[in-house]
Amino acid sequence: QQQVKQSPQSLIVQKGGIPIINCAYENTAFDYFPWYQQFPGKGPALLIAIRPDVSEKKEGRFTISFNKSAKQFSLHIMDSQPGDSATYFCAASKGSSNTGKLIFGQGTTLQVKP
Amino acid sequence: DAGVIQSPRHEVTEMGQEVTLRCKPISGHNSLFWYRQTMMRGLELLIYFNNNVPIDDSGMPEDRFSAKMPNASFSTLKIQPSEPRDSAVYFCASSPGAPGREKLFFGSGTQLSVL
């Protein structure tokens, strides 16, 4: 119940394409769903996050879609660029008194070809 | 702000040796987390502290692992004795108090190789 399942494991798109990364969770107590971006040799960095009271959140070229009934959420990258090539992690945490304890998905390695 | 600072960046050691990883969180952050990253298991939470007190160490793999946070600006993760299966990248992260306490700021990690 603590798992967050992420797919695909890897993804290759052409510049300008719209890669989509999906995540699914089981624990309905989860109430915070962030996405982190990691470049080689660096730690993950927060990209965008959503709470279950909304179905979509957009920040620049990055959009999270959230389906509470299906317990799924996804990351869309509009007009993808080679600089977006990185590993993306979805995550989830629970509790109104959130201490930041995140459960991460396995990660998706994205390559955007020029 | 310099961000979360981890040292060393790389550590190569032999099986059976003691390894100590160090972390300086962002000043003013109340929570500190140690994660381990491997290809097989992804990012695993090992332990986290709130106001220097260990809150949840259920992710610590076994008694060979220990973590301390003697003050708000320093934490260590120790492995004694180390084994080849401990080879991984170890990340330290910190987060501020509410609001925004869910946002984790990660260091650049320590690449540990146990031969």
Side-chain angles (χ1 to χ4, degrees):
Chain A
Q1 263 215 331
Q2 290 293 324
Q3 284 188 328
V4 177
K5 297 182 179 179
Q6 183 173 346
S7 63
Q9 188 173 359
S10 63
L11 191 53
I12 301 174
V13 300
Q14 292 293 133
K15 177 183 174 182
I18 305 176
I20 301 173
I21 305 171
N22 300 297
C23 282
Y25 63 97
E26 297 179 356
N27 192 336
T28 55
F30 287 147
D31 63 358
Y32 175 70
F33 303 91
W35 284 89
Y36 278 75
Q37 179 188 54
Q38 184 180 28
F39 293 105
K42 301 292 186 182
L46 180 65
L47 188 62
I48 186 173
I50 197 168
R51 293 195 181 274
D53 53 344
V54 296
S55 60
E56 185 176 281
K57 183 173 182 180
K58 181 181 291 188
E59 288 185 5
R61 295 183 295 107
F62 300 91
T63 300
I64 299 180
S65 297
F66 186 83
N67 186 330
K68 187 174 181 178
S69 60
K71 293 185 285 186
Q72 295 176 346
F73 58 109
S74 59
L75 177 71
H76 301 231
I77 306 176
M78 305 301 178
D79 187 28
S80 59
Q81 302 296 313
D84 297 328
S85 298
T87 300
Y88 293 82
F89 294 92
C90 63
S93 64
K94 64 179 179 180
S96 56
S97 57
N98 196 326
T99 58
K101 180 181 176 181
L102 289 174
I103 308 299
F104 282 89
Q106 286 292 94
T108 297
T109 301
L110 171 66
Q111 182 183 357
V112 181
K113 291 189 171 183
Chain B
D1 197 322
V4 176
I5 299 173
Q6 292 186 245
S7 64
R9 285 300 310 274
H10 303 275
E11 177 79 35
V12 180
T13 190
E14 293 187 347
M15 182 174 64
Q17 296 298 305
E18 177 179 295
V19 175
T20 299
L21 311 181
R22 297 172 175 80
C23 176
K24 176 178 169 57
I26 293 173
S27 177
H29 281 193
N30 295 334
S31 297
L32 183 139
F33 306 80
W34 283 100
Y35 280 87
R36 179 172 67 177
Q37 185 175 35
T38 61
M39 288 294 293
M40 289 297 295
R41 301 175 69 91
L43 274 164
E44 299 175 278
L45 177 63
L46 301 177
I47 185 172
Y48 77 94
F49 297 83
N50 196 38
N51 293 322
N52 311 338
V53 176
I55 302 300
D56 184 347
D57 65 355
S58 59
M60 296 287 260
E62 46 194 281
D63 292 345
R64 298 185 296 107
F65 286 70
S66 63
K68 293 182 179 179
M69 191 165 186
N71 56 63
S73 59
F74 184 65
S75 178
T76 60
L77 178 67
K78 185 176 293 186
I79 309 173
Q80 166 63 22
S82 58
E83 297 183 3
R85 60 193 169 117
D86 301 330
S87 298
V89 181
Y90 291 81
F91 287 103
C92 174
S94 67
S95 70
R101 57 185 163 185
E102 306 95 342
K103 182 175 181 178
L104 266 60
F105 294 78
F106 282 81
S108 294
T110 294
Q111 174 78 59
L112 174 64
S113 297
V114 183
L115 307 177

